[in-house]
Amino acid sequence: MTGKSIAVLTSGGDAPGMNAAVRAVVRTGINMGMKVYGVYRGYNGLLNGDLEEMNLRSVSEIIGNGGTMLYTARSEDFKKPENQKKAADFCRSKGISGVVVIGGDGSFRGARALTNAGVNCIGVPGTIDNDIACSEYTVGFDTAMNTAIQMVDRIRDTAQSHDRCSIVEVMGRHCGDIALQTGIATGATAILVPEIEFNIERDVITRIVNTQKTGKKHFIIVVAEGVGGVDDLAKYIEHRLGIEARATVLGHVQRGGSPTLRDRVVASEMGYRAVKLLSQDIGNRVVVMRDGKITDLDITTALDMERVFDEDLYRIAMTISI
């Protein structure tokens, strides 16, 4: 029995699997004799005192739910030093010695600030974009890709029925991982990502023309959100090749839905490790996946890392998607 009190919050964009991570934090903490608080609506909850003590039943039946039971928000107010101190003082007033923060890079910067204010924080990477450089996998990524695959497969049905080219925009902002892996999994003719410089004539038009020569009459183009311009691309393809083209933006459908097995398990592992670190009075760390294993890194080291796009996988995609 540790007698410690800790808290858990979700911050930034929601991601499938966040609930599994919350569940793991709550149950691991209680199992270790801790009092565990759930903080509502991210860092705003610490500023507004919006939290409650959790018990084992508080997190029953949530592991398969999308979104986050703690709700989430982005807090501009928390960026102010005086509010970071206010949040730390509030934690101390409740006897909270550590906080698990589930979110992305912005959330981790907040965790670092709160640690510097005297409350140990551990970050858990939760974002569908898979854009956290320090971790090769983020909670929510697998579910988002599976949702995207299902949507593209449905779009393919109508594209095939009409001999049509469908351009599909998937989420990812400045990270092309969802686009790349979804494109491979759905046999896209072309994949456009922000990390790889592309030429529309060479990388889209010529690929469609070469594929037409093999007898294929319908095409899927997957475009990362950070590239954008899917409506203009559809018009250009239609004008340039004389084939019907339609653009679809999948949008926030990719953030919702029941998390996959992988997201549930990884989130559970990460949540467990976060609590183990806090039980040893360790803070200012991010739980990450490195070489397929769950480990942890210093927050500043983690935030300073540069994300590396998998160019080998992109070359494979361009070779087999014909």
Side-chain angles (χ1 to χ4, degrees), residues 85-297:
K85 181 181 182 301
K86 177 183 176 181
D89 288 343
F90 174 73
C91 287
R92 283 187 282 267
S93 74
K94 301 292 290 187
I96 295 170
S97 61
V99 180
V100 178
V101 176
I102 305 165
D105 281 347
S107 303
F108 296 162
R109 290 187 180 90
R112 179 172 60 184
L114 191 56
T115 299
N116 291 338
V119 178
N120 283 334
C121 290
I122 304 295
V124 170
T127 167
I128 68 167
D129 295 349
N130 204 44
D131 62 349
I132 296 178
C134 61
S135 184
E136 62 195 36
Y137 185 82
T138 63
V139 173
F141 179 53
D142 189 61
T143 306
M145 285 193 298
N146 275 277
T147 299
I149 288 170
Q150 292 170 13
M151 297 300 102
V152 175
D153 283 347
R154 285 163 171 74
I155 289 169
R156 179 185 294 282
D157 290 344
T158 191
Q160 186 171 16
S161 297
H162 292 269
D163 290 337
R164 178 182 292 168
C165 177
S166 287
I167 300 92
V168 184
E169 179 185 293
V170 298
M171 293 183 79
R173 290 188 296 177
H174 305 298
C175 176
D177 285 8
I178 294 178
L180 174 58
Q181 298 203 29
T182 299
I184 292 174
T186 57
T189 303
I191 303 168
L192 304 182
V193 296
E195 295 91 342
I196 302 292
E197 187 175 345
F198 60 86
N199 175 281
I200 296 299
E201 283 293 324
R202 179 193 65 210
D203 299 313
V204 176
I205 300 301
T206 299
R207 291 184 68 83
I208 291 174
V209 170
N210 288 340
T211 304
Q212 283 178 317
K213 292 175 182 177
T214 68
K216 192 170 185 177
K217 297 181 179 180
H218 70 278
F219 313 94
I220 297 291
I221 312 297
V222 176
V223 181
E225 181 182 10
V227 173
V230 290
D231 288 319
D232 289 338
L233 179 57
K235 291 175 183 176
Y236 184 76
I237 291 171
E238 199 162 276
H239 170 75
R240 181 73 172 73
L241 298 177
I243 59 177
E244 187 179 14
R246 293 289 184 273
T248 303
V249 178
L250 295 187
H252 286 84
V253 67
Q254 296 158 92
R255 278 200 184 163
S258 180
T260 60
L261 181 149
R262 188 179 194 203
D263 277 328
R264 299 184 198 194
V265 172
V266 172
S268 298
E269 289 182 283
M270 288 183 167
Y272 173 86
R273 189 177 186 97
V275 176
K276 291 287 285 184
L277 290 168
L278 290 179
S279 73
Q280 300 168 50
D281 294 319
I282 297 172
N284 217 42
R285 309 288 290 180
V286 178
V287 177
V288 299
M289 180 181 288
R290 307 284 288 179
D291 298 323
K293 302 293 184 182
I294 305 300
T295 184
D296 54 271
L297 297 170

Side-chain angles (χ1 to χ4, degrees), residues 39-51 73-75 77-78 83 86-87 90-91 94:
V39 180
Y40 293 101
R41 296 173 179 84
Y43 289 109
N44 289 334
L46 291 180
L47 297 177
N48 302 325
D50 191 7
L51 81 172
R74 292 180 172 88
S75 178
D77 286 341
F78 190 76
N83 285 331
K86 177 183 176 181
F90 174 73
C91 287
K94 301 292 290 187

